Amino acid sequence: MTTVFFSYCHADEALRDQLERQLRILQRQGLIETWHDRRIEAGQDFAGEIDAHIEADEIILLLVSPDFLNSDYCYEIEMTRALERHKVGEAIVIPVILRDCLWHGAPFGKLMATPTDGRPVTQWPDIDHAFRLVAEAVQAAAKRIGSPQSVTKQSAAPAIMQNTQSVNRSTPAQVIRSSNLRVAKTFTDRDRDAFQTEAFEFMAKYFENSLSELSARNPEIDGSFRRLDANRFSAVAYHNGQSASRCTVFMGGRHMGGIAYTATENADTNGFNENLTVEADEQTLYLRSMGMAHFGQNRDQKLTFEGAAETYWHMFVKPLQ
């Protein structure tokens, strides 16, 4: 069985948990097992255990984010040794781009990153889909490594013993327990309201920037963006001077709440063509559409800020296409 090591910053622990859930099916199939520092037992040497796995595990996932690049331990110790092993064929290093950051110039920048084209996980409309792509990359790498009885795995055992400071302590391979030790999170009304406000502000900036770029790339298109108040903005697209598309996006509608879209530009925001509401699973908050608009979205998707903004942007630009 191939061991997958997570090199990550604790600021990204929730995203690591979501990825591990996607990889669970590969564990059930006996293809991989996963390890990260949260599996270190009380009394074990923290640095020693991590070093042992960096030296022994066959697949090393670099969970890349601004916090990862800012961490001296992740960058200078874990990443450096991982790339050394990758270079000599002792391990496969896979950069997983979690959040947007300037990663292309990093030492791992020439490696094929995942999800597709190195687009950050948090910028995909559906995070589950992004992590599925990561899981597929891990699956392919594990199959390349070979059978569970490969020589690489057998030769890794001495490395673990050499890097642990106490031979009387159980090694990680001997500690048989689940890595899924999460407990469900509770989100308050304040959490949900703050999440909705942040999503709305992201959407407003998304529309403003996208409309400006649309006009710059297409001389026949002229766009107008207006911030009506703290809870509303409108956008208009003119094609050769004629109105082609109008919309108002507003927060806290009278009937449904959430963030709504109406294909009109006015102060009357009682009706809407689509509505996004804040929902939560056991670990994260996300946005979900009513499914009134169909642009590659369905109401079962857990939308990020990017996914929500893109949903409404597609509705806005469809008349121009």
Side-chain angles (χ1 to χ4, degrees):
M1 185 181 294
T2 300
T3 303
V4 178
F5 175 80
F6 293 89
S7 175
Y8 74 105
C9 181
H10 285 170
D12 299 312
E13 189 164 14
L15 291 171
R16 187 214 66 203
D17 286 345
Q18 289 180 266
L19 172 56
E20 194 165 20
R21 288 199 293 273
Q22 281 280 8
L23 295 176
R24 180 61 176 161
I25 184 61
L26 302 183
Q27 294 178 270
R28 294 184 187 278
Q29 295 168 353
L31 187 62
I32 68 168
E33 59 182 359
T34 61
W35 193 91
H36 48 72
D37 62 1
R38 292 305 192 194
R39 301 193 69 175
I40 298 175
E41 297 287 341
Q44 291 183 312
D45 175 49
F46 187 86
E49 295 297 321
I50 293 177
D51 290 346
H53 279 274
I54 293 176
E55 294 295 333
D57 294 349
E58 298 96 332
I59 297 176
I60 300 175
L61 302 182
L62 305 180
L63 306 191
V64 182
S65 70
D67 289 290
F68 178 91
L69 297 178
N70 185 57
S71 168
D72 291 340
Y73 194 89
C74 290
Y75 194 93
E76 297 177 7
I77 298 177
E78 293 184 357
M79 182 198 69
T80 299
R81 182 54 187 145
L83 292 176
E84 289 173 352
R85 293 189 63 222
H86 179 90
K87 185 175 182 180
V88 298
E90 294 179 356
I92 296 176
V93 173
I94 303 176
V96 180
I97 312 303
L98 294 182
R99 296 187 283 129
D100 195 22
C101 55
L102 196 63
W103 63 272
H104 291 87
F108 56 83
K110 294 183 179 180
L111 298 180
M112 181 67 73
T114 186
T116 307
D117 299 327
R119 182 182 181 184
V121 166
T122 53
Q123 290 188 7
W124 286 75
D126 185 354
I127 285 183
D128 285 341
H129 177 66
F131 277 133
R132 193 204 77 189
L133 296 175
V134 177
E136 289 175 351
V138 173
Q139 181 184 47
K143 289 181 176 179
R144 290 201 307 271
I145 288 173
S147 69
Q149 302 302 324
S150 65
V151 174
T152 302
K153 185 65 178 179
Q154 294 176 10
S155 64
I160 293 180
M161 294 303 296
Q162 291 167 6
N163 283 275
T164 54
Q165 295 181 2
S166 174
V167 296
N168 295 322
R169 180 178 66 238
S170 295
T171 67
Q174 294 172 321
V175 179
I176 301 175
R177 64 170 174 82
S178 173
S179 62
N180 184 2
L181 303 176
R182 298 175 302 273
V183 295
K185 296 181 180 179
T186 300
F187 296 100
T188 65
D189 289 341
R190 183 181 179 86
D191 293 332
R192 292 170 180 267
D193 289 346
F195 183 86
Q196 179 174 291
T197 299
E198 189 176 356
F200 178 78
E201 293 299 331
F202 179 94
M203 194 175 295
K205 184 58 66 176
Y206 190 96
F207 259 75
E208 184 177 14
N209 292 341
S210 297
L211 195 57
S212 176
E213 186 66 18
L214 180 69
S215 300
R217 296 190 182 192
N218 302 276
E220 72 278 13
I221 301 296
D222 187 21
S224 172
F225 173 89
R226 284 198 305 149
R227 187 66 184 257
L228 302 175
D229 56 39
N231 296 322
R232 296 178 300 164
F233 68 83
S234 67
V236 184
Y238 301 93
H239 184 269
N240 293 323
Q242 301 299 315
S243 173
S245 183
R246 297 175 180 268
C247 79
T248 301
V249 177
F250 59 97
M251 184 169 57
R254 180 179 302 174
H255 302 294
M256 299 296 295
I259 303 173
Y261 177 102
T262 179
T264 59
E265 186 207 9
N266 55 51
D268 183 7
T269 51
N270 292 324
F272 55 85
N273 300 98
E274 180 60 283
N275 194 62
L276 302 172
T277 55
V278 177
E279 298 191 21
D281 57 23
E282 292 184 345
Q283 298 295 319
T284 58
L285 292 166
Y286 59 90
L287 293 159
R288 174 168 286 174
S289 74
M290 292 185 64
M292 299 170 68
H294 303 284
F295 299 98
Q297 306 284 1
N298 64 68
R299 74 175 313 274
D300 292 327
Q301 287 184 314
K302 299 176 181 180
L303 298 175
T304 61
F305 291 172
E306 177 96 6
E310 189 67 14
T311 294
Y312 282 172
W313 177 253
H314 275 304
M315 295 177 67
F316 176 72
V317 298
K318 187 180 181 183
L320 302 175
Q321 297 172 341

